[in-house]
Amino acid sequence: MAQDHDEVENGFNSSRNDDGHHHNDKKDKNGGGGKEAEEFSVERAFDGKEVPSWRKQLTIRAFVVSFVLSVLFTFIVMKLNLTTGIIPSLNVSAGLLGFFFVKTWTKFLENSRILRQPFTRQENTVIQTCVVASSGIAFSGGFGSYLLGMSDRIAKQSEDTNLGYKTLSLTWIIGFLFVVSFLGLFSVVPLRKIMIIDFKLTYPSGTATAYLINSFHTTEGAKLAKKQVRTLGKFFSFSFLWGFFQWFFTAGDNCGFVSFPTFGLKAYEYRFYFDFSAIYVGVGMICPYIINISVLLGGILSWGLMWPLIEKRKGDWYSADLSPTSLQGLQGYKVFISIAMILGDGLYNFCKVLSRTLVGLFYQVRTRNASSDLPVAENSSPETAKLSYDDQRRTRLFLKDQIPTWFAISGYVAIAIVSIIVLPHIFHQLKWYHVLVIYLFAPTLAFCNAYGCGLTDWSLASTYGKLAIFTIGAWAGSSHGGVLAGLAACGVMMNIVSTASDLTQDFKTGYLTLASPRSMFVSQVIGTAIGCIVSPCVFWLFYKAFDDLGVPGSEYAAPFAMVFRSMAKLGVKGFSALPKNCLLLCYVLFGAAIVINLIRDSIRKEWARFIPLPMAMAIPFYLGPYFAIDMCVGSLLLFIWEKIDKAKADAFGPAVASGLICGDGIWTLPNSILALAKVQPPICMKFLSRRTNARVDKFLGS
């Protein structure tokens, strides 16, 4: 995902995720027309190949494959969303599997001598764009955050049903997503030229994806891709079968390998154990080492130090009679302290990316004083430097298929009018003037997010969403449903800024693979439409199959649902919602998050990579460190592999990780169906202390 992925909180998706800080080291080697571009030309390797028209890039087979992969990746993203909220970049997997499926299809037709159109890198880019757009809705749709946070299930846990909740229904969720998910696409279309050609923004994830797709369509690259797919298939099978094998031992609560007390029963009580999760071992192999270490450090700080100490204050700091899920007790410290760290990190990075954006814009505009026109889609720009052969060819084809500015503006206005009318009917607490104000500011924020993403590879989608929670929630007030209004506004804002940065990322990928901007736009629209239907259906399967979804300590705890609802509650009620001394601890951790980030950015790069990331540290505060151990196991395996054979690890590491993630992710489909059919596993494998076991044996023998 050119990934929001954003969100440690909701993902370490390279760029879909504002909170992940997952940097991709691949830069645009041909972006500046420098010596490197002159020495090595990507486009000369494709000189003899005709570039198909934008209509021919949009094939039926591309969208059939896109739909199949969209369902697969939606299950993966949904499982990650509803377990920890950490979503790695799945661009490599989407590009690789898209190449494999269509290549197999065309090979079969070629052997049958009925192949009409060869498979091109432009068609590959269309598939990748469509899949990422579709599975991206599983994140920006808020199924593990703001949307689930509105439900009665989460409201009852946070003991604030009086502040309002909305009963979840498949029909209104699909309607809501269709109303809000397309607006961001139209908001940045007129400025695609200034982003890609004039400002030459890097978009590291989009650039890396383009190089990957370009390499697939060379002779050597195709051979390597074939081997990578074979490796992915092996680990997909292993991961799927391992998930199936584990299911047989989970007949009751806390049963099976997922509850294996690896470091002893006392450590297990504080969630320090390895739960044999193939999906998080795979995530650990994809995420940078510092992210995995940061998550583990956060788990040690919270569950190894802070929570045991606060627990000793039971009866003093909070009542000993409260339920374990009460926000007035220990659960309140876990939720609000993690929120403080998330907000501290988010605020720092918001200011940092915004300042970089403004400084970058200032220098870009200052160097363009010779031109009086803003270089939007239909205005040409003066040549500031001699372009390389690659850039000349890419620029010519990128500007060939225009998307009229009037089309983008009229599309934005039309969808905005429909939204202003429809949204207050879905959420009565969200008034038409709230939506109007969001849509007046949205194009500016979408541009800032898309520009910042091009500079840093960070999408600030969830940060803008939190901004909407506090502003609209406080404006509506608690007596007028401010909690629901804030969460709904968060959804509107997140969808706009997230899809805007996704589309510009895709324009960059298309620019580097000679895919038409029109085919990229159409593919993004179709992918978004698929996501608006597939993602709610997949979520509904989870929601109906697992009655404990959203419950702390369950398999699908959905931690950010409670976090987002608590933020909305904080926005309308203020600090009165916090237990004793919690505000002081929040101030300390909020400040610590900012200071850690300042230290990271002020010291030299070789030392900065050892400073942990506060956003990553915040996740286990609420959830526990068990998944961090899985991720660190993945990191360790990759580290050892790199020491033994770095070239092979670099070539096949992402394929192994993708196989582990995809296999475990797709196992959730038959697992959900078994749960809906009330088919129970036959065995409960449980671990007891020697003393407890002796008592059980004595009881059974009596």
Side-chain angles (χ1 to χ4, degrees):
M1 300 195 177
Q3 67 289 86
D4 192 315
H5 199 22
D6 185 55
E7 278 111 60
V8 166
E9 169 190 343
N10 306 316
F12 281 106
N13 221 342
S14 269
S15 68
R16 197 170 289 288
N17 233 336
D18 56 327
D19 307 315
H21 319 330
H22 178 180
H23 292 279
N24 197 315
D25 291 324
K26 288 193 179 184
K27 300 295 178 187
D28 184 359
K29 294 178 183 175
N30 302 303
K35 285 181 182 177
E36 205 173 338
E38 293 300 330
E39 288 166 10
F40 175 74
S41 170
V42 172
E43 293 308 324
R44 289 195 193 278
F46 295 97
D47 253 355
K49 296 183 180 178
E50 182 192 350
V51 178
S53 67
W54 71 274
R55 284 189 177 87
K56 286 187 176 178
Q57 294 171 23
L58 302 166
T59 62
I60 292 172
R61 69 188 178 199
F63 290 114
V64 170
V65 168
S66 296
F67 179 77
V68 172
L69 291 179
S70 293
V71 174
L72 168 65
F73 283 106
T74 298
F75 268 99
I76 294 165
V77 173
M78 197 66 71
K79 177 166 183 177
L80 293 168
N81 233 341
L82 296 174
T83 48
T84 64
I86 297 179
I87 306 168
S89 175
L90 298 171
N91 287 34
V92 173
S93 312
L96 188 63
L97 288 171
F99 173 80
F100 167 70
F101 278 120
V102 182
K103 200 69 178 170
T104 306
W105 185 333
T106 54
K107 195 77 178 170
F108 171 74
L109 293 179
E110 200 175 345
N111 292 338
S112 309
R113 296 186 178 180
I114 53 173
L115 180 65
R116 292 180 182 174
Q117 186 178 334
F119 182 41
T120 62
R121 57 193 173 130
Q122 290 80 25
E123 192 179 350
N124 205 157
T125 308
V126 164
I127 294 170
Q128 196 268 342
T129 298
C130 188
V131 173
V132 169
S134 175
S135 56
I137 299 294
F139 156 69
S140 60
F143 300 103
S145 55
Y146 64 84
L147 202 73
L148 187 58
M150 299 177 186
S151 68
D152 55 336
R153 202 175 282 187
I154 302 300
K156 284 171 186 171
Q157 279 179 51
S158 60
E159 299 173 343
D160 59 10
T161 50
N162 59 310
L163 293 175
Y165 60 85
K166 187 163 181 66
T167 305
L168 297 184
S169 157
L170 193 57
T171 46
W172 76 252
I173 293 173
I174 292 173
F176 168 71
L177 289 177
F178 266 106
V179 168
V180 301
S181 295
F182 295 91
L183 209 78
L185 304 181
F186 290 92
S187 64
V188 292
V189 163
L191 294 172
R192 70 187 181 283
K193 182 179 175 292
I194 190 174
M195 301 287 210
I196 308 301
I197 294 172
D198 293 281
F199 287 179
K200 290 184 170 61
L201 295 176
T202 310
Y203 289 101
S205 288
T207 298
T209 305
Y211 277 105
L212 185 77
I213 290 171
N214 282 335
S215 73
F216 288 161
H217 293 267
T218 61
T219 309
E220 286 302 310
K223 286 178 185 173
L224 177 62
K226 200 173 179 181
K227 291 176 184 174
Q228 287 172 327
V229 168
R230 201 175 293 132
T231 303
L232 190 151
K234 285 177 187 173
F235 282 89
F236 176 94
S237 304
F238 164 75
S239 180
F240 182 88
L241 292 171
W242 174 240
F244 182 43
F245 175 74
Q246 286 188 85
W247 175 80
F248 284 96
F249 301 92
T250 55
D253 292 337
N254 302 317
C255 292
F257 288 91
V258 291
S259 301
F260 193 94
T262 325
F263 308 110
L265 289 166
K266 192 67 181 174
Y268 173 79
E269 192 182 323
Y270 287 95
R271 304 195 187 177
F272 284 93
Y273 59 93
F274 176 61
D275 73 348
F276 294 89
S277 168
I279 199 166
Y280 281 105
V281 172
V283 169
M285 292 179 75
I286 288 179
C287 287
Y289 295 130
I290 190 60
I291 285 178
N292 301 329
I293 297 298
S294 299
V295 175
L296 186 60
L297 278 175
I300 292 168
L301 176 66
S302 54
W303 289 82
L305 189 66
M306 290 176 68
W307 305 158
L309 290 174
I310 292 173
E311 239 178 341
K312 289 180 179 177
R313 300 284 182 177
K314 186 191 281 190
D316 177 15
W317 284 17
Y318 61 94
S319 170
D321 304 324
L322 293 169
S323 73
T325 59
S326 172
L327 288 179
Q328 296 300 314
L330 184 61
Q331 187 79 343
Y333 294 93
K334 294 175 185 176
V335 171
F336 290 113
I337 291 173
S338 67
I339 287 174
M341 285 195 78
I342 288 167
L343 291 179
D345 186 271
L347 179 68
Y348 177 86
N349 284 299
F350 175 73
C351 295
K352 176 180 156 186
V353 174
L354 189 64
S355 62
R356 280 193 191 180
T357 300
L358 294 174
V359 169
L361 273 173
F362 172 73
Y363 282 114
Q364 294 282 4
V365 171
R366 201 170 70 167
T367 57
R368 297 187 50 83
N369 283 338
S371 171
S372 58
D373 294 323
L374 179 66
V376 293
E378 288 148 8
N379 293 339
S380 61
S381 59
E383 293 297 319
T384 55
K386 187 179 182 300
L387 292 175
S388 66
Y389 171 79
D390 282 7
D391 278 341
Q392 286 177 25
R393 192 169 187 222
R394 289 165 177 167
T395 302
R396 179 166 47 82
L397 286 162
F398 189 77
L399 297 177
K400 182 183 162 192
D401 293 324
Q402 296 289 342
I403 302 171
T405 302
W406 65 264
F407 172 77
I409 294 171
S410 57
Y412 185 91
V413 171
I415 295 172
I417 291 169
V418 171
S419 298
I420 290 167
I421 295 167
V422 173
L423 285 176
H425 285 89
I426 299 175
F427 305 104
H428 302 301
Q429 300 83 356
L430 190 69
K431 305 303 179 187
W432 67 268
Y433 45 85
H434 295 150
V435 184
L436 177 63
V437 168
I438 291 171
Y439 285 167
L440 288 174
F441 284 100
T444 306
L445 298 177
F447 169 76
C448 288
N449 193 44
Y451 188 95
C453 182
L455 287 176
T456 63
D457 211 24
W458 300 344
S459 167
L460 293 170
S462 74
T463 303
Y464 288 114
K466 289 168 205 146
L467 193 67
I469 286 179
F470 289 116
T471 52
I472 302 297
W475 184 6
S478 61
S479 58
H480 296 93
V483 168
L484 281 185
L487 290 169
C490 169
V492 176
M493 185 64 80
M494 269 182 71
N495 275 283
I496 293 169
V497 297
S498 178
T499 51
S501 64
D502 290 349
L503 182 59
T504 42
Q505 189 89 247
D506 292 331
F507 279 145
K508 181 69 175 185
T509 306
Y511 170 77
L512 294 169
T513 58
L514 304 189
S516 166
R518 285 189 186 181
S519 65
M520 292 292 90
F521 182 77
V522 172
S523 180
Q524 185 89 18
V525 168
I526 291 172
T528 302
I530 292 170
C532 288
I533 297 170
V534 171
S535 289
C537 291
V538 171
F539 169 72
W540 203 246
L541 185 65
F542 277 87
Y543 192 70
K544 289 296 181 185
F546 304 104
D547 294 331
D548 58 356
L549 188 146
V551 176
S554 67
E555 184 181 358
Y556 298 103
F560 287 103
M562 178 67 81
V563 166
F564 271 64
R565 185 174 183 91
S566 299
M567 282 185 195
K569 189 175 171 183
L570 209 57
V572 298
K573 291 194 77 177
F575 297 128
S576 60
L578 303 180
K580 187 180 178 182
N581 292 321
C582 186
L583 183 59
L584 176 63
L585 291 169
C586 286
Y587 281 143
V588 171
L589 272 296
F590 180 89
I594 293 173
V595 170
I596 292 168
N597 274 308
L598 275 170
I599 294 169
R600 262 182 75 85
D601 288 337
S602 58
I603 62 177
R604 280 165 39 187
K605 205 170 182 180
E606 58 265 31
W607 296 110
R609 63 197 178 98
F610 296 111
I611 305 294
L613 299 164
M615 176 59 68
M617 292 175 70
I619 296 174
F621 271 57
Y622 176 72
L623 208 54
Y626 63 92
F627 68 94
I629 293 166
D630 298 344
M631 290 169 70
C632 285
V633 167
S635 272
L636 181 62
L637 291 172
L638 185 65
F639 180 78
I640 294 168
W641 192 4
E642 284 177 341
K643 289 295 177 188
I644 296 168
D645 189 343
K646 188 165 187 344
K648 207 162 188 180
D650 289 344
F652 293 98
V656 170
S658 299
L660 292 172
I661 292 169
C662 293
D664 199 2
I666 208 65
W667 158 246
T668 57
L669 174 58
N671 191 18
S672 304
I673 292 168
L674 288 168
L676 283 171
K678 307 295 182 191
V679 177
Q680 295 295 321
I683 304 165
C684 173
M685 183 172 75
K686 213 160 193 169
F687 300 90
L688 307 171
S689 68
R690 188 170 59 240
R691 189 177 299 169
T692 306
N693 187 57
R695 290 212 311 268
V696 170
D697 285 346
K698 188 177 179 182
F699 173 77
L700 291 173
S702 61

